[in-house]
Amino acid sequence: MFWPDTISKKLGIKYPVIQAPMFGVSTVEMAVAATKADCLGSLALADLSAGQSVELIRKIKTLTDKPFAANIFVHHIPELTDSLKIKYAKTKQFIEQLAKENGIEVALPALEEINVNSYQEQIDVIIQENCKIVSFTFGNLDDQSIQKLKENGVTLVGTCTSVKEALLLEKSGIDIICVQGIEAGGHRGSFEAENIPQIGGLSLLSQIYDQVKAPLIYAGGIYDAKTLQAVKDLGAQGFQMGNLLLVSQESALQPFEKERLKRVREEDIVLTKSFSGRYARGVKNQFIEMVENSEYILPYPYQNKLTNALRKAAKSLQNPEFVELWIGQSIHQYSELSTEEILKKLIEACEK
């Protein structure tokens, strides 16, 4: 049998293939399509409010009765010091002026207008809505949340980007560990936003396999049967796909963004904190070039909240120079088929 079955049995799915929870790109429809391929769909709840999270959970439940993972952000929220308040005002002014100079009229939110949600409120609604799989990134859950979830029969999937993080997840009782290599698209799942581990996926997976007993999902650079086989040989028992699905029918990306991804070259792909305040891998553009090495980057999630309105305005103008386009290092022929078809084709190719 080609597929390892440890994770499949734990998650109640046929194939240990996971649709990555790409907040802003993945949709409820993408998660449902993944379940139709007998894989695990991921519902990206990020740092949404409890009310918004309930709405999405209920929506997906009307569309599928198959298992899915609710994915949340467990990041540290920086204290609002006087120096942060001053820097916020300066950064807001700089980005508004930059946008204006480039034909984008936008009013960014004042600091007091920003809502920053903690994940603990999501934990309660996830339990109330009877979700049985929770995946998370940007750190580890607190002990109380882990206990509450486990008492309610929830399987926990934590993300790591180093051996140290993997060991911390295992020690705290996390059931499955998702290993994210530096080549993965989008945000680093690192516990710290600064000084992130920059370890290639194959080296990282091999080392973690030697040091932890928890079953491992691998994320980063898988785009065909060969790359999936390679990480399987290194000990992965589950396989997470994000980059492969960026241009799929169910992707939230607009046509102009999909077209930009199809034209991407190796030298276009960078790690940047400019849009969100956390390192993310994506396509270099004018905004990144202007902001990346400047003083105008706030800590996550404040930079992310500040630039949100700019990104929406740029999207409405179909301006790729001021939107975030996350992408992994594995450039390939992006398919516009449905997520279900893309995953089924991958599974078929692996089983040949």
Side-chain angles (χ1 to χ4, degrees):
M1 188 174 90
F2 178 85
W3 302 101
D5 64 359
T6 303
I7 284 174
S8 304
K9 286 176 178 174
K10 273 184 178 287
L11 301 180
I13 53 180
K14 183 174 180 181
Y15 301 106
V17 174
I18 297 93
Q19 164 250 321
M22 304 171 285
F23 187 63
V25 175
S26 65
T27 56
V28 169
E29 291 76 18
M30 183 184 284
V32 171
T35 69
K36 289 179 179 176
D38 293 317
C39 302
L40 184 71
S42 297
L43 182 65
L45 300 179
D47 59 350
L48 295 176
S49 68
Q52 292 168 312
S53 298
V54 167
E55 193 178 324
L56 288 176
I57 291 168
R58 290 182 179 172
K59 182 179 178 183
I60 195 171
K61 283 186 167 182
T62 64
L63 299 172
T64 183
D65 57 1
K66 292 184 177 180
F68 66 90
N71 180 265
I72 58 174
F73 293 170
V74 297
H75 56 275
H76 165 72
I77 298 173
E79 184 186 348
L80 268 181
T81 60
D82 288 341
S83 63
L84 180 55
K85 290 174 184 176
I86 292 166
K87 186 172 182 180
Y88 187 96
K90 286 181 177 177
T91 303
K92 176 179 181 291
Q93 185 179 21
F94 172 80
I95 293 177
E96 282 178 340
Q97 183 60 30
L98 178 62
K100 188 176 181 180
E101 289 169 4
N102 287 276
I104 304 171
E105 292 291 337
V106 63
L108 301 182
L111 187 53
E112 55 269 20
E113 296 176 278
I114 283 179
N115 291 320
V116 178
N117 304 309
S118 71
Y119 69 87
Q120 280 84 3
E121 62 180 88
Q122 290 174 309
I123 298 293
D124 292 333
V125 299
I126 281 167
I127 290 169
Q128 287 164 22
E129 295 297 317
N130 202 30
C131 296
K132 290 305 179 187
I133 305 167
V134 169
S135 60
F136 56 90
T137 190
F138 300 159
N140 196 5
L141 297 164
D142 63 274
D143 291 341
Q144 187 179 2
S145 294
I146 292 171
Q147 187 178 345
K148 277 168 73 174
L149 288 161
K150 283 185 166 284
E151 284 171 357
N152 285 276
V154 179
T155 298
L156 302 178
V157 183
T159 307
C160 72
T161 61
S162 69
V163 175
K164 180 182 177 183
E165 291 171 356
L167 291 169
L168 287 168
L169 290 171
E170 183 172 61
K171 188 177 179 183
S172 62
I174 303 308
D175 301 292
I176 298 169
I177 297 172
C178 180
V179 178
Q180 187 194 51
I182 193 69
E183 54 270 73
H187 283 90
R188 307 295 89 220
S190 312
F191 286 22
E192 300 293 333
E194 304 291 334
N195 302 314
I196 60 166
Q198 297 193 40
I199 310 167
L202 300 189
S203 293
L204 182 60
L205 174 61
S206 185
Q207 291 176 74
I208 291 175
Y209 180 78
D210 288 341
Q211 295 191 52
V212 305
K213 294 185 174 66
L216 306 176
I217 293 168
Y218 178 75
I222 303 174
Y223 69 99
D224 61 6
K226 291 198 306 288
T227 47
L228 192 147
Q229 179 69 57
V231 296
K232 180 189 169 194
D233 290 344
L234 287 171
Q237 294 173 291
F239 313 93
Q240 185 159 292
M241 308 293 158
N243 204 24
L244 189 69
L245 305 173
L246 288 176
V247 179
S248 66
Q249 274 178 23
E250 297 82 8
S251 166
L253 294 181
Q254 292 189 11
F256 82 95
E257 294 172 300
K258 292 180 177 181
E259 286 305 311
R260 178 66 188 94
L261 291 181
K262 287 180 180 179
R263 300 193 315 272
V264 78
R265 301 167 300 170
E266 291 172 327
E267 59 266 32
D268 296 335
I269 302 173
V270 294
L271 271 179
T272 178
K273 291 203 295 184
S274 56
F275 280 108
S276 71
R278 279 193 78 105
Y279 282 106
R281 186 176 298 288
V283 180
K284 182 169 58 178
N285 60 16
Q286 188 179 342
F287 182 83
I288 292 171
E289 288 177 340
M290 296 294 290
V291 175
E292 185 60 26
N293 295 309
S294 74
E295 60 184 300
Y296 304 110
I297 298 181
L298 301 161
Y300 185 91
Y302 294 104
Q303 184 81 358
N304 199 47
K305 303 292 185 186
L306 177 64
T307 64
N308 189 42
L310 169 65
R311 289 176 274 149
K312 283 183 176 175
K315 208 171 253 216
S316 70
L317 296 170
Q318 299 190 19
N319 181 347
E321 297 302 321
F322 287 83
V323 297
E324 80 287 25
L325 271 175
W326 303 140
I327 188 173
Q329 284 184 338
S330 291
I331 297 172
H332 56 91
Q333 294 294 316
Y334 290 94
S335 171
E336 294 191 52
L337 293 172
S338 73
T339 296
E340 179 184 1
E341 290 175 277
I342 293 169
L343 293 178
K344 281 182 173 177
K345 280 176 177 286
L346 175 70
I347 289 163
E348 186 182 329
C350 289
E351 292 178 341
K352 280 183 180 175

